[in-house]
Amino acid sequence: MKQLSLPLDFTNSHSQEATWFQEILEALKIKDKSVFPDKFGLSIRQWLDKQNYAPIKTLSLFSGGGGLDIAFHDAGFDIVQMVELEDKYVKTLEKNSISGKWLENSQPICIDIKDFFPSTDLQVDFIIGGPPCQSFSAAGRRAAGVSGTNDSRGTLFKEYVRLLKKLQPKGFLFENVYGIIGSQKGKDWQAIQDAFKNAGYKIYFRILDAADYGVPQHRERLFIVGLKEGNYLFPYPTHGPDSPGQEPLITAKDALIKVDTSESIEEGINGKYGHLLNDIPPGLNYSFYTEEMGHPNPVFSWRSKFSDFLYKADPKMPVRTIKAQGGQYTGPFSWENRKFTIAELKRLQTIPDAYEIVGNRQVCIEQIGNSVPPQLGRILALSILDSVMAVALPFPMHYLPENKQLGFRRRKRQLTKIYAQKAKERIIFLNKNPKSILIKKGATKEQVVRYLSDDFTWSKHQLSQSTKINIEYELNDNCWVIIAQSAEIQENQNEFVIDVLPCWGNENWVLETDKVKLCAKQLDIHLFTALWKAFEEKLLEITGMADLVQLSGYYQYSPKITGIMNFEGELKADILWRILQSSVRGIGVAKQLSASELASLWGVAPKNIFSYLQSLRSIGYEVRNHNTNSQIPQGKYLIPYAFPTLTPRSVQLRKTLGNINE
């Protein structure tokens, strides 16, 4: 495949004049740029140790695995105490605080910050740290808004403010996700600013991308610097088009030069979707397998997954943000179609090779993904050392004018276009070498037995507390007919039929048939769920598409399929069947609605809505409310899809709607 060249303004071509970054390396006598963050930190520390200056006593809050602590320690700040709630992270801090280790002489404290009351003799000049960010994160925004300070984690900044008032340091550095600015339509951000100002601090803030400061990773975060006295400007980027001299960004491949190779590397990615990684061009993710990207055999619906799902790193660019939490398919994955090792992830986060992270693989990834990249932290710490603490450095510092706009968002849009072109070229290749998934002309018949469990496991084998279902498939290019009945009863008449068709305007209906008929021989709730499971199983088998959600599309967009449910003869059954009939048609689905609104749509009494919603969950429908997703307002309910979607792996399966009064 032809390699694309990036525009000049993106590859950071620059003149022969020395860049600011090169000036820093020269001053620190660093000649080899490989593993430069480690050498940078050590060289700064060694130079400062030779100077005659008073230690800057610093308190670290929400220390995690120690990313900011590494940075500020390297820049001459004396980290006297590190406060962290999670014992598994404190073990890392303890390991690296003993004599001869990176954070030697620091004191980790495992305690909830709400219970942390420093002794009266503790005096500090500076405080660093950022509270947990999940309540302001992209995951929160995706789930219908950002919970922000409505979430207990979103109020931890108040404990930060309490300690500022108690200890009265000269200043502080606070880090968080930039979603904090838009949380609750800006109300939370205003409350946070007011709280810091009321504690006696003038605040300065910017959203920065770590890649602009020598980190081989794009990671946008909000930084707040608060000062009792004086003024502050954020430092210019050391790398990228916005940097003095335009030093090139550090690529993922360059960051991994001479990395430790002793850790065993797991070949490939296992599981249902692991094989898909091989065809994804470096820099792209699951969206490569979508209709919108032009894939000949779409597997996923547009924006139905998080951006790190099956994300493969591009060796010629910094990687996307490393996440602390994720599933089996959460990237970044190596361009070699495998998981990155812990040693490699540390390099991509600029955590020193010699810094020991304690715990199993997942615990290590949590600490890496939650930390501030030390190289970004070092530049910020040096700016504070220079402009606030008046320590003369051996190289000049360059500061951003207050109104100077950085260009990383614009460059991100440019990069999106470049990767779209890469996907297009790869898809042209696949179209020339298609993998046929089409049903041949004529009918395909099959009879199978499946078992449906209470946790919505769909299995070929009998499990405890499972219901036996007989399934009959008759598939042709006019219609897929899927028939279900319980046990061994052979009924001639269908009790209900669900017609599934592409919505008007959906020209890319991936099934090589006009419609799908789901037929039940008994009026049995288990059969309703089983028919959708059987349809999903065949959808995956024939098309490779991940699940019914991908066929229909992510619920925040217009659905690509519609369902029509009809009953044979006069229905003499519970009203729940009428609600199912409405839901299949999309009535009351994909919108946040109150009980009275749902009652009006379904023609039932509002007082019974909660009971019916519980019944829908028992059938396999995902039903959300404030109790399951705090971003949803009290009194509102959300049924994302017109069909049951719960599986044994569903997060929602482990949540409850609470009770009618919650």
Side-chain angles (χ1 to χ4, degrees):
M1 183 175 68
K2 179 182 177 181
Q3 293 294 322
L4 290 172
S5 59
L6 300 178
L8 287 179
D9 66 335
F10 204 90
T11 53
N12 312 325
S13 297
H14 53 79
S15 67
Q16 297 301 314
E17 295 180 7
T19 66
W20 177 33
F21 176 68
Q22 290 170 344
E23 292 174 354
I24 295 174
L25 295 187
E26 184 177 343
L28 296 176
K29 296 180 171 56
I30 299 174
K31 296 181 180 180
D32 184 1
K33 287 188 179 181
S34 64
V35 204
F36 89 85
D38 291 17
K39 296 177 180 178
F40 187 101
L42 287 170
S43 297
I44 284 288
R45 187 72 192 183
Q46 291 168 359
W47 182 86
L48 287 167
D49 285 344
K50 297 176 182 178
Q51 310 305 308
N52 184 20
Y53 78 100
I56 302 165
K57 295 189 177 299
T58 303
L59 173 66
S60 170
L61 304 177
F62 311 102
S63 302
L68 267 180
D69 305 276
I70 293 169
F72 275 75
H73 179 271
D74 288 350
F77 290 70
D78 182 13
I79 314 295
V80 292
Q81 290 183 345
M82 298 180 287
V83 178
E84 171 54 45
L85 171 63
E86 295 284 352
D87 178 66
K88 56 187 177 182
Y89 304 160
V90 173
K91 286 182 170 60
T92 291
L93 300 177
E94 291 174 340
K95 183 77 172 180
N96 291 281
S97 296
I98 61 177
S99 179
K101 296 293 185 178
W102 208 277
L103 298 176
E104 62 179 350
N105 301 324
S106 299
Q107 180 190 1
I109 302 175
C110 187
I111 191 172
D112 189 325
I113 193 170
K114 296 175 182 177
D115 299 322
F116 176 63
F117 296 91
S119 62
T120 54
D121 60 349
L122 178 65
Q123 294 183 343
V124 296
D125 303 306
F126 210 76
I127 292 180
I128 59 174
C133 63
Q134 291 91 334
S135 56
F136 302 107
S137 68
R141 294 195 297 276
R142 186 179 176 89
V146 178
S147 56
T149 55
N150 287 341
D151 186 320
S152 60
R153 294 169 298 184
T155 59
L156 289 174
F157 79 92
K158 294 180 180 178
E159 299 299 324
Y160 201 118
V161 173
R162 171 179 65 84
L163 291 167
L164 286 173
K165 290 179 177 179
K166 166 72 175 177
L167 297 171
Q168 294 291 304
K170 294 178 182 178
F172 67 88
L173 182 139
F174 178 99
E175 176 267 350
N176 216 292
V177 294
Y178 63 83
I180 197 172
I181 291 178
S183 171
Q184 306 287 354
K185 297 181 179 179
K187 293 180 181 179
D188 289 344
W189 174 229
Q190 188 59 54
I192 290 170
Q193 292 182 77
D194 291 343
F196 285 138
K197 290 174 183 177
N198 291 337
Y201 293 87
K202 183 178 180 181
I203 65 170
Y204 306 84
F205 60 89
R206 265 190 183 270
I207 297 171
L208 303 175
D209 181 3
D212 284 351
Y213 293 86
V215 180
Q217 177 188 167
H218 289 294
R219 187 184 188 92
E220 297 176 30
R221 291 294 186 268
L222 171 71
F223 290 89
I224 303 173
V225 172
L227 299 178
K228 278 284 188 184
E229 297 178 353
N231 298 301
Y232 178 77
L233 292 173
F234 281 86
Y236 255 101
T238 57
H239 293 71
D242 291 323
S243 66
Q246 297 190 337
E247 177 73 21
L249 297 176
I250 304 297
T251 69
K253 184 178 180 180
D254 287 343
L256 301 186
I257 293 173
K258 302 178 184 178
V259 71
D260 179 13
T261 58
S262 62
E263 183 181 347
S264 61
I265 298 176
E266 183 178 342
E267 295 295 336
I269 309 297
N270 297 321
K272 184 177 179 181
Y273 307 124
H275 65 285
L276 297 176
L277 189 68
N278 293 342
D279 274 347
I280 296 175
L284 276 76
N285 58 12
Y286 79 95
S287 64
F288 173 70
Y289 288 97
T290 63
E291 172 189 317
E292 286 75 5
M293 279 285 191
H295 198 280
N297 303 319
V299 178
F300 303 104
S301 178
W302 188 248
R303 294 182 178 173
S304 63
K305 302 288 186 182
F306 284 110
S307 62
D308 51 19
F309 192 89
L310 289 177
Y311 160 57
K312 183 189 292 185
D314 185 341
K316 298 180 180 180
M317 297 295 297
V319 300
R320 294 182 188 176
T321 305
I322 297 171
K323 302 294 176 60
Q325 301 286 344
Q328 183 177 5
Y329 307 108
T330 300
F333 293 106
S334 169
W335 47 92
E336 296 176 349
N337 297 320
R338 60 171 176 81
K339 296 177 182 178
F340 280 119
T341 65
I342 295 301
E344 289 172 327
L345 290 173
K346 285 170 62 180
R347 284 284 188 89
L348 296 172
Q349 192 78 355
T350 66
I351 293 173
D353 287 350
Y355 191 84
E356 298 183 56
I357 302 179
V358 179
N360 61 29
R361 178 179 171 85
Q362 184 51 48
V363 172
C364 289
I365 291 174
E366 286 177 26
Q367 295 176 75
I368 294 169
N370 276 329
S371 61
V372 175
Q375 185 57 26
L376 167 56
R378 290 184 186 109
I379 301 300
L380 292 173
L382 288 170
S383 72
I384 293 165
L385 201 67
D386 174 64
S387 65
V388 178
M389 303 301 177
V391 175
L393 298 175
F395 46 78
M397 292 293 293
H398 296 268
Y399 293 101
L400 287 164
E402 187 174 349
N403 297 321
K404 172 69 174 178
Q405 297 295 313
L406 297 175
F408 54 83
R409 293 279 173 82
R410 174 179 54 82
R411 295 192 294 275
K412 183 190 291 187
R413 292 191 291 271
Q414 289 180 344
L415 193 59
T416 299
K417 294 178 181 178
I418 291 169
Y419 285 135
Q421 179 63 28
K422 290 182 71 173
K424 183 179 179 180
E425 293 192 1
R426 179 61 177 166
I427 287 167
I428 289 173
F429 171 81
L430 293 176
N431 282 332
K432 290 180 179 178
N433 302 273
K435 299 175 183 177
S436 177
I437 59 168
L438 308 182
I439 298 176
K440 295 180 180 179
K441 297 293 183 181
T444 299
K445 293 186 178 182
E446 181 184 10
Q447 291 183 341
V448 299
V449 174
R450 295 290 183 265
Y451 296 89
L452 178 65
S453 299
D454 291 346
D455 66 352
F456 308 109
T457 297
W458 183 247
S459 174
K460 296 179 181 180
H461 308 288
Q462 186 168 10
L463 305 171
S464 61
Q465 297 181 324
S466 64
T467 301
K468 181 180 179 181
I469 309 289
N470 293 318
I471 299 292
E472 181 179 340
Y473 293 102
E474 184 172 337
L475 313 180
N476 59 58
D477 54 353
N478 294 317
C479 184
W480 284 13
V481 179
I482 304 175
I483 302 170
Q485 56 186 331
S486 299
E488 303 298 333
I489 301 174
Q490 299 294 324
E491 298 285 352
N492 292 322
Q493 179 176 310
N494 296 322
E495 288 294 326
F496 66 85
V497 176
I498 303 171
D499 288 304
V500 183
L501 306 99
C503 285
W504 181 259
N506 179 13
E507 299 176 353
N508 293 300
W509 168 253
V510 299
L511 304 180
E512 291 294 311
T513 188
D514 294 333
K515 63 179 179 180
V516 178
K517 275 188 175 294
L518 309 179
C519 309
K521 293 299 185 181
Q522 296 95 33
L523 195 64
D524 185 335
I525 287 296
H526 290 102
L527 293 186
F528 177 86
T529 306
L531 281 167
W532 290 104
K533 292 284 187 180
F535 178 21
E536 188 170 68
E537 178 184 357
K538 193 58 65 174
L539 177 74
L540 171 61
E541 176 188 327
I542 292 177
T543 72
M545 187 163 276
D547 51 38
L548 287 174
V549 169
Q550 313 309 321
L551 182 68
S552 178
Y554 185 48
Y555 78 88
Q556 291 187 349
Y557 300 93
S558 297
K560 297 179 182 178
I561 63 173
T562 187
I564 302 172
M565 183 177 182
N566 291 308
F567 301 94
E568 292 293 333
E570 184 180 354
L571 178 63
K572 297 179 180 179
D574 190 277
I575 192 64
L576 178 61
W577 285 103
R578 291 298 184 195
I579 291 175
L580 285 173
Q581 188 178 40
S582 296
S583 299
V584 166
R585 195 61 186 262
I587 299 171
V589 170
K591 294 180 180 179
Q592 294 183 31
L593 300 168
S594 65
S596 60
E597 289 171 325
L598 285 170
S600 176
L601 290 170
W602 292 342
V604 299
K607 65 179 181 180
N608 295 327
I609 284 295
F610 190 80
S611 174
Y612 289 131
L613 291 173
Q614 293 278 35
S615 296
L616 287 177
R617 280 177 64 92
S618 71
I619 297 167
Y621 274 86
E622 183 179 334
V623 183
R624 305 178 189 177
N625 67 355
H626 185 76
N627 207 56
T628 66
N629 296 74
S630 60
Q631 300 84 2
I632 297 175
Q634 291 276 9
K636 296 282 188 178
Y637 300 94
L638 172 64
I639 305 169
Y641 300 101
F643 43 85
T645 56
L646 291 178
T647 72
R649 301 180 302 279
S650 298
V651 174
Q652 291 292 327
L653 189 63
R654 297 184 287 277
K655 298 182 179 182
T656 66
L657 295 175
N659 59 60
I660 194 170
N661 296 317
E662 287 185 312

